[in-house]
Amino acid sequence: MLNEKNILHKCRLFIIGASGHGKVIEALARESACYSKITILDDNEELKHIGKVPGGKEYALEFRDCADVIVGIGNAAIRKKIIEYYEEKQINVTSLTHPFSWVASDVRIDNGTVIMAGAVVQPGCTLGKGVIVNTSSSIDHDCKIGNYCHISVGSHIAGTVCIGDNTWIGAGATVSNNITICNDVMIGAGAVVVKDIMEPGTYVGVPAKKIG
Ligand SMILES: CC(C)(COP(=O)(O)OP(=O)(O)OC[C@H]1O[C@@H](n2cnc3c(N)ncnc32)[C@H](O)[C@@H]1OP(=O)(O)O)[C@@H](O)C(=O)NCCC(=O)NCCS
């Protein structure tokens, strides 16, 4: 669970998802220099013809004993489904932290979570399974971020915030300190959350208000 796991990887990494998010994870994995071989997989048959993608997610099963996998898909429901697929097949779903991010030593990070370049995660935080802490975002002290959340590029979560599962904080949004946000919430780009959000839905603006 601790981020020191990054130094204990096996030699081979499979990244599931060949689109934009997968590309960023590939760059992260290469920069971290933890793996001797990195392969991108995608269930989209058309991508196999490009040559770079040898197969879909089942391709990694052959390498069960000598490889880690990470899911590079932005959609939370698909990310969850694929992480669960590999857990069931008993392949290690790893977490990755970019060397140019800063994560306090006591932060607890669950499997399948990625922390991108320029991100900061302060002491006392817990990051659930399959979380994306995206480029140049920050999560301040004692926050709890639920499973499959996405803290988008340039967004800022102040101290002691609790965010439920499958919640997406949009690019450049801010969540004020001591706020609770429930499961299945979409916070629009640039929004500022100043009150607890206890009902799933989409919230935008300053201060953030529900639109759907
Ligand atoms: C909030 C969001 C999900 C809404 O998307 P949507 O459901 O397709 O909604 P629409 O684009 O139809 O917009 C609905 C209304 O909300 C407004 N709106 C949408 N996003 C808004 C935002 N971020 N801030 C303020 N208003 C917003 C629109 O202007 C529109 O207003 P109108 O009805 O007066 O014309 C989307 O706009 C958004 O912010 N996505 C975040 C993307 C992001 O951060 N990506 C990061 C990748 S790392």
Side-chain angles (χ1 to χ4, degrees):
M1 292 281 281
L2 288 174
N3 55 5
E4 68 190 23
K5 225 172 82 174
N6 265 7
I7 58 173
L8 300 174
H9 291 307
K10 298 166 188 171
C11 61
R12 187 162 186 170
L13 178 70
F14 288 101
I15 299 168
I16 321 305
S19 61
H21 183 51
K23 218 185 283 182
V24 177
I25 291 186
E26 182 189 11
L28 187 176
R30 293 200 188 286
E31 199 64 39
S32 72
C34 289
Y35 293 97
S36 54
K37 185 156 184 169
I38 297 168
T39 306
I40 298 179
L41 302 178
D42 201 297
D43 286 346
N44 182 349
E45 289 286 325
E46 288 170 23
L47 292 171
K48 287 182 195 169
H49 303 302
I50 298 171
K52 198 179 170 189
V53 176
K57 63 179 176 308
E58 73 290 344
Y59 185 91
L61 302 181
E62 291 172 42
F63 302 87
R64 184 181 273 111
D65 297 328
C66 59
D68 289 338
V69 298
I70 189 90
V71 182
I73 293 173
N75 180 295
I78 299 173
R79 197 161 66 250
K80 178 173 191 284
K81 204 170 155 190
I82 297 178
I83 288 175
E84 286 173 351
Y85 169 84
Y86 285 118
E87 284 178 337
E88 204 213 325
K89 306 284 184 199
Q90 298 186 319
I91 293 199
N92 186 47
V93 179
T94 193
S95 60
L96 292 174
T97 301
H98 197 287
F100 299 138
S101 63
W102 189 82
V103 180
S105 59
D106 69 341
V107 171
R108 294 177 68 81
I109 303 173
D110 209 338
N111 293 351
T113 286
V114 289
I115 300 177
M116 303 302 195
V120 172
V121 186
Q122 295 287 7
C125 289
T126 303
L127 309 179
K129 191 178 284 189
V131 170
I132 303 168
V133 182
N134 223 325
T135 312
S136 296
S137 62
S138 68
I139 302 175
D140 223 279
H141 65 91
D142 301 307
C143 287
K144 186 174 181 306
I145 310 296
N147 298 328
Y148 309 106
C149 284
H150 180 175
I151 311 300
S152 291
V153 294
S155 62
H156 298 293
I157 314 296
T160 330
V161 165
C162 184
I163 300 180
D165 294 344
N166 317 314
T167 282
W168 181 4
I169 308 296
T174 299
V175 180
S176 194
N177 56 309
N178 302 319
I179 294 290
T180 295
I181 300 177
C182 66
N183 297 348
D184 304 309
V185 170
M186 169 74 225
I187 302 294
V192 178
V193 180
V194 294
K195 286 185 183 160
D196 290 351
I197 292 179
M198 305 313 279
E199 194 185 341
T202 300
Y203 295 75
V204 301
V206 182
K209 297 250 186 326
K210 193 168 189 296
I211 59 162

